[in-house]
Amino acid sequence: VQLQESGPGLVKPSETLSLTCNVSSGSVISNVYYWTWIRLPPGKGLELMGYIYHSGDTTYNPSLKSRVTISVDTSKNQFSLRVNSVTAADTAVYFCARVVLYSGYVDSWGQGTRVTVSS
Amino acid sequence: SYVLTQPPSVSVAPGQTATIICGENNLGSFNVHWYQRKPGQAPRLVIYDDTDRPSGIPERFSGSTSGNTATLTITRVEAGDEADYYCQMWDSSSDHTRGEHVVFGGGTKLTVL
């Protein structure tokens, strides 16, 4: 499988960050995988933001739950991330990735896209 | 909620063995995975389910868990092993709707002297 992130590299404070992950050489409709967004802020560690099953069932990081929405479009074989009310603390490299059910490890990653929050 | 504790840095000479530790209460009861991340690249899975190696990962990489600790061991360290290493846990038995069952450690920078 291959994953590719797309979306704006610059977002203004208080606005909404939107990214899409296109999945190729594989299907989001799978009963063995979740689809996830993980970010890496500068100088910090990896943070799993949430994940989604092809049915649309989602799980979110409790520290971000109020601002994050992950959705899936099975007809386009892609899934998306929205983060509301962004601040400079949301500046990071954002990765879309695939998580193996039951064990929970990430076996495939997109290359990552850098998003900067600045006016 | 869980917090995985890793040392910020580990240094080792080429050819020696690097040991990176990840700690959390009762960590040996969960699934633990390890990732390598080099600058400008996406992370790469190097150990999954505590001890298993994905195809293409050298046998020099191994993992273990016991009690409150998980360990990534890299033998015969090479310059190309210099990277950030992250542990990750997955608690398969807890309520997943709260989102507290999956956590990354803060990362360990491995420097090859």
Side-chain angles (χ1 to χ4, degrees), chain A residues 34 38 40 44-48 51 59-62 65 93 95 99-100 102-107 109-112, chain B residues 31 33 35 37 40-45 48-49 86 88-90 92 96-102 104-107:
Chain A
Y34 295 117
I38 296 167
L40 183 65
K44 296 188 177 182
L46 295 169
E47 180 178 41
L48 187 143
Y51 58 84
T59 295
Y60 296 114
N61 184 320
K65 187 174 183 177
V93 177
F95 298 95
V99 179
V100 176
Y102 308 118
S103 288
Y105 59 89
V106 181
D107 72 338
W109 299 73
Q111 66 183 22
Chain B
N31 298 90
H33 321 298
Y35 304 87
R37 185 180 180 265
Q41 298 183 16
R44 178 175 71 151
L45 181 71
Y48 67 98
D49 290 349
Y86 295 89
Q88 178 228 327
M89 63 159 281
W90 180 275
S92 58
H96 288 190
T97 61
R98 297 178 60 183
E100 297 176 333
H101 61 289
V102 53
F104 282 98

